[in-house]
């Protein structure tokens, strides 16, 4: 805290300032509102050994150039992991959503996502190797560490069969720039009713459906299937109508990509508990896995995996 305060005084000299802690996210970053007599900012302590601060700055600049509303980086100290950003206020999209306004806000967020997909930055690739690591972490952290599931040859086979299908679908669909954590808790509603975008430092080059399904099948809030389909087709119509894939292909890609992402999110929630002593994400695991259960039920090639995840989800909901 004192380190940050001393640094801020060098960035905002001759100015009285106070710091007020803000609620953070699932990372090791800590956020503070910096209040001066004329302006407010957000200061971040972001440990360089765990957080990709250089990528945050690079992606911020690229997104701003595309007309996206992202925090402006006023100052930074990469060695110490300190950042001074513009203040987007306190209106998190997650907290404002209701059945009455969800269609308006989700379409706004999908339009901004279309801009993200045009980003031409040279980014790391979200490829089969990277996804394979995430799926292995699902086995290690959720199934083994959290649920103490013992893998039989049959279990191993059905999991690998599902993983192979998910990886094939993800790598066969069109690829683009992806935010990689695009959901209602990382989006802000700004004073002009625009959508502000946060936590983009892990952006990569990957499947075109990744961020779409992350948004409309949110791990923290779920919506009726008809609404989800409407938003998916809205995105397809707005940005992909003259390109491949077709609507049918797009919806299949979206479904299978969602399964991969929800398996990934569920292991992260379990890992936060076991590794970082952060428990409040455990309550989100049943909802997250329930997406997997519902979607996999529509694909005969995932029948065994559907039954397997269904049993796990039922257990979690009852305990």
């Amino acid at each position: 805290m004192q380190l940050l305060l001393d640094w801020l005084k060098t960035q905002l000299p001759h100015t009285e300032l106070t710091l007020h802690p803000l609620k953070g996210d699932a990372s090791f970053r800590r956020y503070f509102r910096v209040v001066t007599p004329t302006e407010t900012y957000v200061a971040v302590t972001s440990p360089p050994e765990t957080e990709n601060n250089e990528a945050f700055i690079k992606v911020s600049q690229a997104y701003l150039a595309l007309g996206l509303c992202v925090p402006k980086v006023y100052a930074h100290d990469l060695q110490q992991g300190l950042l001074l950003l513009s203040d987007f206020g306190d209106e998190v999209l997650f907290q404002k959503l209701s059945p009455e306004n969800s269609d308006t806000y989700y379409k706004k967020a999908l339009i901004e996502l279309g801009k993200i997909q045009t980003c031409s930055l040279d980014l790391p690739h979200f490829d089969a190797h990277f996804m394979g690591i995430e799926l292995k972490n699902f086995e290690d952290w959720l199934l083994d560490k959290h649920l103490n599931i013992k893998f039989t040859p049959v279990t191993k086979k059905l999991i690998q069969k599902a993983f192979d299908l998910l990886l094939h679908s993800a790598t066969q669909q069109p690829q683009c720039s992806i935010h990689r954590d695009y959901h209602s808790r990382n989006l802000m509603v700004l004073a002009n009713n625009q959508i502000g975008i946060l936590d983009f430092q892990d952006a990569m080059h990957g499947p075109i459906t990744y961020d779409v399904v992350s948004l409309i099948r949110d791990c923290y809030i779920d919506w009726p299937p008809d609404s989800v389909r409407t938003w998916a087709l809205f995105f397809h119509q707005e940005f992909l109508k003259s390109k491949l894939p077709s609507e049918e292909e797009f919806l299949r890609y979206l479904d299978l990509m969602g399964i991969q992402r929800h398996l990934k999110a569920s292991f992260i929630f379990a890992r936060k508990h076991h590794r970082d002593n952060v428990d409040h994400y455990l309550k989100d695991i049943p909802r997250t896995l329930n997406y997997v259960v519902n979607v996999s039920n529509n694909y005969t090639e995932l029948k065994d995996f559907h039954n397997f995840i269904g049993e796990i989800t039922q257990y979690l909901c009852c305990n």
Side-chain angles (χ1 to χ4, degrees):
M1 180 78 164
Q2 190 60 46
L3 173 68
L4 176 62
L5 190 57
D6 291 342
W7 178 74
L8 287 171
K9 288 178 179 178
T10 68
Q11 304 304 315
L12 301 168
H14 316 298
T15 302
E16 293 184 9
L17 60 88
T18 56
L19 292 183
H20 304 276
L22 297 174
K23 185 177 180 181
D25 56 12
S27 73
F28 294 98
R29 295 182 294 272
R30 297 179 64 203
Y31 299 85
F32 302 85
R33 175 160 287 123
V34 183
V35 180
T36 75
T38 58
E39 186 64 272
T40 64
Y41 306 88
V42 169
V44 189
T45 60
S46 184
E49 61 272 15
T50 60
E51 305 302 319
N52 197 345
N53 298 318
E54 291 187 52
F56 179 89
I57 295 168
K58 181 174 72 170
V59 177
S60 172
Q61 293 169 343
Y63 281 7
L64 282 169
L66 292 171
L68 291 156
C69 293
V70 297
K72 183 177 180 181
V73 182
Y74 291 114
H76 59 80
D77 183 329
L78 292 176
Q79 186 174 358
Q80 297 188 95
L82 305 175
L83 301 166
L84 181 63
L85 312 176
S86 52
D87 185 2
F88 272 13
D90 299 309
E91 295 283 349
V92 180
L93 177 59
F94 173 77
Q95 297 169 340
K96 284 189 69 78
L97 285 169
S98 70
E100 292 74 30
N101 66 25
S102 60
D103 189 63
T104 297
Y105 280 126
Y106 272 78
K107 286 178 178 176
K108 280 178 175 285
L110 288 167
I111 289 171
E112 298 308 292
L113 179 54
K115 299 176 188 176
I116 288 175
Q117 293 195 344
T118 68
C119 181
S120 59
L121 272 182
D122 183 16
L123 297 167
H125 283 257
F126 190 78
D127 54 18
H129 174 72
F130 190 90
M131 282 182 274
I133 293 173
E134 291 192 335
L135 292 171
K136 181 64 167 61
N137 280 329
F138 168 76
E139 292 185 27
D140 293 344
W141 284 100
L142 186 78
L143 301 184
D144 185 6
K145 181 75 172 178
H146 189 59
L147 296 173
N148 197 30
I149 291 176
K150 304 305 179 186
F151 297 100
T152 67
V154 172
T155 304
K156 272 284 191 184
K157 184 177 179 180
L158 73 87
I159 290 175
Q160 191 58 54
K161 180 182 176 183
F163 285 4
D164 289 345
L165 177 67
L166 301 181
L167 294 178
H168 178 77
S169 175
T171 54
Q172 289 302 301
Q173 64 185 274
Q175 308 290 296
C176 64
S177 177
I178 59 174
H179 177 289
R180 237 182 101 232
D181 208 13
Y182 200 77
H183 58 73
S184 63
R185 288 187 178 176
N186 280 340
L187 300 175
M188 307 292 289
V189 180
L190 306 183
N192 54 8
N193 216 31
Q194 286 184 288
I195 298 293
I197 302 168
L198 307 178
D199 283 356
F200 39 76
Q201 62 280 342
D202 294 324
M204 299 183 80
H205 188 78
I208 201 166
T209 59
Y210 190 91
D211 289 330
V212 183
V213 76
S214 173
L215 176 70
I216 65 179
R217 290 192 180 130
D218 194 322
C219 295
Y220 306 110
I221 184 171
D222 54 359
W223 299 100
D226 287 347
S227 296
V228 171
R229 179 182 173 87
T230 295
W231 295 328
L233 293 179
F234 168 82
F235 184 85
H236 185 276
Q237 177 69 17
E238 287 291 311
F239 299 104
L240 303 173
K241 59 186 175 184
S242 61
K243 308 173 187 176
L244 294 175
S246 66
E247 283 189 2
E248 182 179 355
E249 290 171 320
F250 180 76
L251 291 174
R252 177 181 169 88
Y253 285 147
L254 183 99
D255 279 349
L256 298 181
M257 191 75 257
I259 291 176
Q260 191 278 341
R261 172 163 171 78
H262 291 125
L263 296 177
K264 172 256 186 80
S266 65
F267 94 69
I268 288 177
F269 295 153
R271 188 174 67 184
K272 292 300 293 182
H273 166 65
H274 293 284
R275 188 190 69 182
D276 306 326
N277 296 315
V278 177
D279 296 340
H280 63 268
Y281 291 98
L282 291 179
K283 69 181 184 302
D284 298 310
I285 294 178
R287 180 191 304 106
T288 302
L289 289 182
N290 198 51
Y291 283 126
V292 178
V293 174
N294 291 337
V295 173
S296 62
N297 191 43
N298 298 324
Y299 295 90
T300 56
E301 59 266 58
L302 289 172
K303 179 182 177 182
D304 293 336
F305 190 69
H306 163 78
N307 292 334
F308 175 69
I309 298 296
E311 291 177 6
I312 291 172
T313 306
Q314 186 175 21
Y315 169 80
L316 288 170
C317 289
C318 297
N319 290 275

